[in-house]
Amino acid sequence: MQAKSTAAQTTEGRTESLPQTLFYTWRDYRASYELHTPAHSDAGSSLPLLLVHPIGVGLSRRFWHRFCKQWDQTGRRNPIYNPDLLGCGESDMPRAAYTPADWAEQLQHFLQTVVGKPAVVVAQGALLPVAIELAQLQPNLIRGLVLSGPPAWGIMTKPTLAWQQKLTWNLLDSPAGSAFYRYARRRQFLQSFSTKQLFGDANSVDAEWLDTLEAGAANPASRHAVFSFLAGFWRKDYKPAVAAIAQPTLVVFGEKASSISREGKQELPAQRLADYLNALPQGRGLQIKGRNVLPYESTPEFVAAVAAFVSELETDSVRNPVS
């Protein structure tokens, strides 16, 4: 594996050391990831975490840095694998229409060749379809799933027609789409969108968040992953696939959870949670403070929820080592 050191600028202007950026090859593309090893790590007996970052303007694995730091501060021993999906961060960015199946196959390869043991998959927001596809592809390497602020259940069961997806992609994959992306990566737009759609508290849309998004969107090739998401290639009826998930699954919603799509605008967070728990064979869930980006906005509360869930899985593994 190739590696290089990285650093980040804190809101106070200090340079903060980050884990090395590591690389592996998938489908002849170079893909990047970080391995966070807590100070008290016990990789031999602790379940690893595999983080799935959201797709959006400037988003990448850096979305999870607050989570990783907080996880370490709690004294948990679990190693954390934090990859960049193809088209994002420091992974290659081919001009392609990405689907959840593409990213799930990338993560399947990552689980097989890098992680090498069952892990807990933690997926943010509308990247739930990637976790679903991954659970179908490689169930023996997934010990459990955590869904952070997934889309409203109505969105997850209503497909977008293929011709509509293709038409939207063609419109975005054009000079007009490139102009739109240049506009969307402006700091003012990022702040406005984050305040209106993502965060429960406008004060949480801080310089660290905006700096990260601006840096992540600097490469115009990052637009292809965003356009793939906007085109709706992730939209289909996932009800049968969700019902087939055999692993324990934790669903966490923010108390102010909202939806951009009109299908979910009228749903209260409690109803969303109930819908998922009714659909999942081994589902459990809770609400915490915050809105739609819980690992960033409500980091301590989200880490506490995930840590309790992971502890249950580890205890169950000790009691039932063959399961």
Side-chain angles (χ1 to χ4, degrees), residues 212-227:
T212 299
L213 296 187
E214 281 191 311
N219 185 341
S222 63
R223 71 187 186 278
H224 304 306
V226 178
F227 290 169

Side-chain angles (χ1 to χ4, degrees), residues 259-270:
S259 179
I260 297 174
S261 300
R262 64 176 180 271
E263 293 96 328
K265 280 189 177 295
Q266 304 306 315
E267 286 187 0
L268 296 175

